[in-house]
Amino acid sequence: MLPLVLRRLVSAIPTLFIVATLSFVLMRLVPGGPFDREKKLPPAIQANVERKYHLDEPVWKQYLLYMGSLARGDFGPSYKYLGRSVNDILREAFPVSLQLGLFSLVLSVLCGVGTGIVSAWRPGSWLDRGGGLFSVLGFSLPTFVLGSLLVFSLADSLHFFPPALWEGWRFTVLPVVTLSFAPAAFLARLCRASLLEVMEKDFVRTARAKGLRESRVILRHALKNALTPVVSVVGPLTAGLVTGSFVVETIFSLPGMGKHFVTAVTNRDYPLIMGVTLMYTVLIILANMIVDLLYGILDPRVRVE
Amino acid sequence: MGNARLHTGHRRGWISLIFLVALGTAALGASWFAPYGYQQQDPRAMLLPPGWSHLMGTDLLGRDLFSRMLYGARLSLSIGLSTALISVLIGTVYGAVSGYVGGRTDNVLMRWVEVVYSLPDLLLIILISVLIGRGAIGILLALSLVSWVTVARVIRGEVLKICTQEYIVAARAAGAPHRVILFRHILPNTAGPLLVTVIYRIPAAILAESTLSFIGLGVPPPFSSWGTLANDGWAAMKFYPHLIIFPAAMIFATILAFNSLGESARERLDPGRTGTRRG
């Protein structure tokens, strides 16, 4: 297992290098600099500002400087928040986004797989129809519509939960539910289809023939085999959670990376944009690595390699 | 039983199609159907609730929400449709070449698709739209540049499947040039799955665009899509909920209709791929 992890970590380095280079090039190609104002700065100040952030150097030198500091784990200074480094901002924002993401991942897996099992139990029953309705809603209800709906009903009108910020468990409920809804619906549909397919296999018939109860057949024999396709989507699911977090963190004013990314784009705070992009890339790479490891645990055939 | 489910699926598909055609007509004829101008402000009619003179009420500047919704439909739908069209053009060529040529070319081409596919789509769309500018065209291009990878994956899969069929082997044995095999024998047979994929790309693009506009990174004023309207409504939601209810409901209904249409098209055209088996 360990060599596999090490190999994956090493192979992630070129990917990160490419993403860093691409985002650097992308940001330098953008017309207009971060210090362009409606009113022009006096030339002396402009020159000073540019010298401070090495913007007066040739682009290749800027690139080398940036990559050099990246290699030391330094994302550089923020252009917008004066006196703060990107590392500083990420150190505060990352835990918020991580909590939000992990809670949502757990909740969506529990709800999704649970709904999938209940739906596959008796296909066509009213429970199955309920699950179907849930997945239709999950596919078509945009995150921001659901978020607004929840804020309007449970926060603004009924005052059950606070409508914004991140300062205790009561604050986590609405954002986590909003963010998990679509992934849960997606997982429910996938899990149902996968279970129904497995239920036709010979070993399930054998288990039934042994006289096992249906619950035991599903939970003990069918589920483990049905989970392989479910595990394989954890990577895309993480990507989906990142996308959702832009919206959820904006709606609920959470001080996480998604919110910072959105404001950084408006402010043209390039080092912050690149820093957040790289953090997300690392997250996605890690998620895909975990998927590969889980695969090996769930399906012994994959382990031979 | 299975038959009954299939029929309800088709009924849903028809209802969705009728809804979408009506919506498309309303959007195309927005300038005739809209009772007020798109930017027309009325200082005596600010923040009115829905009523007979203003079907969906008015906003902070006294603009008629119903009229703005009609013009917004024009923008949202055309972004959805054009994104789907561009992604099909790019995705089909890319996927077909990758699947047909195979070997190392396929590996390299698909590696790139996998990278784009595995990154968060909104992250890429935002980064690209930063680069090419955030006008309506910029957003459209950014959406298309991310959306095509899904089409490419589907087409490549189909091409790989079709390539093993006997009639392709026969065509090859008969000495047909690659051009003929690809364009006459392979691509027409991908039409079913391709159509299904296209139908699903439209709501995905509408969703992405409205999400971008909602978080304030979408089309800039004076354009306004449904997402922009929802964002305006969000600010005043607590006291004037009608401003967010109508845009949000229309976005939901439209995406739902496209998804239902896609599902019933898939049942009809691409039965092998139907993800959920009907009980």
Side-chain angles (χ1 to χ4, degrees):
Chain A
M1 203 73 106
L2 195 67
L4 179 68
V5 175
L6 281 179
R7 208 167 58 221
R8 291 300 296 264
L9 282 179
V10 171
S11 76
I13 293 174
T15 315
L16 280 177
F17 178 79
I18 293 173
V19 171
T21 307
L22 276 182
S23 58
F24 180 88
V25 172
L26 213 68
M27 293 303 121
R28 284 303 178 278
L29 282 176
V30 177
F35 301 107
D36 291 351
R37 298 279 182 277
E38 299 268 321
K39 206 173 136 215
K40 267 243 173 282
L41 288 172
I45 298 180
Q46 180 88 23
N48 263 335
V49 169
E50 285 185 351
R51 192 159 57 241
K52 176 159 191 278
Y53 295 110
H54 303 293
L55 290 173
D56 53 344
E57 311 269 11
V59 174
W60 62 268
K61 205 164 173 193
Q62 290 183 33
Y63 174 69
L64 289 184
L65 279 171
Y66 182 72
M67 292 309 259
S69 55
L70 261 194
R72 291 192 303 272
D74 178 9
F75 289 113
S78 158
Y79 285 171
K80 183 69 186 181
Y81 303 99
L82 290 179
R84 293 194 70 188
S85 68
V86 173
N87 291 46
D88 234 17
I89 298 172
L90 289 181
R91 204 171 300 132
E92 274 174 27
F94 184 67
V96 176
S97 295
L98 190 69
Q99 278 173 19
L100 176 68
L102 282 182
F103 289 164
S104 305
L105 191 65
V106 171
L107 183 67
S108 49
V109 168
L110 286 181
C111 287
V113 173
T115 312
I117 295 175
V118 169
S119 308
W121 198 291
R122 298 234 188 290
S125 66
W126 61 270
L127 274 174
D128 186 24
R129 276 158 203 262
L133 184 69
F134 171 54
S135 76
V136 166
L137 279 182
F139 272 80
S140 303
L141 200 60
T143 313
F144 68 89
V145 172
L146 178 68
S148 322
L149 209 66
L150 288 178
V151 170
F152 183 69
S153 56
L154 296 181
D156 282 353
S157 305
L158 297 171
H159 302 288
F160 284 167
F161 298 103
L165 299 180
W166 190 257
E167 287 161 356
W169 73 268
R170 282 168 57 85
F171 290 83
T172 62
V173 177
L174 293 185
V176 169
V177 169
T178 310
L179 189 53
S180 334
F181 193 73
F186 173 66
L187 279 178
R189 182 176 284 201
L190 190 74
C191 190
R192 175 186 184 272
S194 160
L195 258 178
L196 284 181
E197 202 176 301
V198 171
M199 299 284 272
E200 313 221 316
K201 292 270 163 67
D202 287 343
F203 66 88
V204 171
R205 201 174 48 197
T206 311
R208 281 200 180 123
K210 278 197 305 192
L212 289 184
R213 264 174 305 154
E214 189 67 8
S215 56
R216 210 167 161 78
V217 171
I218 293 186
L219 296 178
R220 197 60 186 268
H221 293 268
L223 188 60
K224 195 176 170 193
N225 290 289
L227 278 184
T228 322
V230 175
V231 167
S232 70
V233 297
V234 168
L237 211 64
T238 312
L241 286 177
V242 170
T243 291
S245 76
F246 293 151
V247 181
V248 169
E249 291 183 9
T250 305
I251 289 187
F252 294 96
S253 303
L254 307 183
M257 296 202 300
K259 172 96 175 114
H260 274 299
F261 183 74
V262 173
T263 24
V265 169
T266 325
N267 291 337
R268 299 188 179 194
D269 192 344
Y270 300 138
L272 188 52
I273 298 179
M274 292 192 279
V276 176
T277 306
L278 281 172
M279 289 298 280
Y280 282 138
T281 316
V282 172
L283 271 181
I284 301 292
I285 291 175
L286 283 180
N288 283 315
M289 201 167 84
I290 293 171
V291 169
D292 285 355
L293 295 180
L294 278 180
Y295 248 158
I297 295 171
L298 274 178
D299 189 348
R301 282 171 298 182
V302 183
R303 239 176 282 165
V304 194
E305 205 195 336
Chain B
M1 180 70 210
N3 236 347
R5 278 297 285 270
L6 212 63
H7 281 304
T8 46
H10 283 168
R11 203 171 56 210
R12 273 223 319 252
W14 276 112
I15 295 173
S16 306
L17 190 62
I18 293 168
F19 170 78
L20 289 171
V21 168
L23 187 68
T25 318
L28 273 180
S31 27
W32 292 308
F33 296 122
Y36 300 89
Y38 155 76
Q39 293 278 44
Q40 186 185 332
Q41 305 180 2
D42 182 355
R44 287 158 306 163
M46 289 187 315
L47 292 166
L48 288 182
W52 282 116
S53 56
H54 296 281
L55 282 177
M56 295 184 180
T58 57
D59 70 0
L60 191 65
L61 299 171
R63 295 176 294 193
D64 179 54
L65 185 59
F66 179 68
S67 312
R68 289 175 69 73
M69 287 288 294
L70 282 175
Y71 284 99
R74 199 181 260 186
L75 188 61
S76 293
L77 287 181
S78 51
I79 285 184
L81 289 171
S82 354
T83 302
L85 208 67
I86 299 177
S87 358
V88 166
L89 289 179
I90 308 177
T92 309
V93 173
Y94 197 98
V97 167
S98 188
Y100 188 72
V101 176
R104 190 180 286 170
T105 317
D106 184 36
N107 274 338
V108 172
L109 289 179
M110 278 301 127
R111 191 64 181 272
W112 183 238
V113 165
E114 289 308 318
V115 168
V116 177
Y117 193 75
S118 69
L119 287 173
D121 52 354
L122 214 54
L123 179 77
L124 288 173
I125 294 172
I126 294 175
L127 286 177
I128 299 175
S129 70
V130 167
L131 178 67
I132 48 187
R134 292 219 315 268
I137 301 293
I139 298 285
L140 174 66
L141 282 178
L143 288 170
S144 314
L145 285 177
V146 174
S147 180
W148 65 271
V149 292
T150 314
V151 183
R153 279 165 60 110
V154 172
I155 293 298
R156 172 181 173 269
E158 288 299 315
V159 169
L160 282 181
K161 211 165 68 191
I162 294 170
C163 272
T164 61
Q165 305 269 313
E166 274 168 15
Y167 61 89
I168 301 296
V169 180
R172 205 166 271 159
H178 292 308
R179 183 172 40 85
V180 173
I181 296 181
L182 193 56
F183 285 99
R184 183 160 317 152
H185 297 294
I186 297 181
L187 282 183
N189 284 307
T190 63
L194 183 65
L195 183 65
V196 174
T197 315
V198 175
I199 297 178
Y200 280 122
R201 290 335 293 158
I202 302 172
I206 293 179
L207 174 67
E209 185 278 323
S210 60
T211 305
L212 274 180
S213 296
F214 188 80
I215 58 178
L217 300 178
V219 286
F223 296 111
S224 65
S225 71
W226 287 341
T228 332
L229 292 176
N231 183 26
D232 292 347
W234 162 254
M237 182 175 74
K238 200 164 177 179
F239 303 105
Y240 305 100
H242 69 270
L243 287 178
I244 190 166
I245 287 174
F246 289 110
M250 279 315 284
I251 295 169
F252 170 59
T254 308
I255 295 176
L256 181 66
F258 273 115
N259 279 338
S260 310
L261 187 67
E263 193 149 328
S264 92
R266 182 163 63 178
E267 272 166 13
R268 212 170 259 212
L269 297 172
D270 190 13
R273 206 184 271 274
T274 308
T276 46
R277 198 125 35 116
R278 300 293 167 183

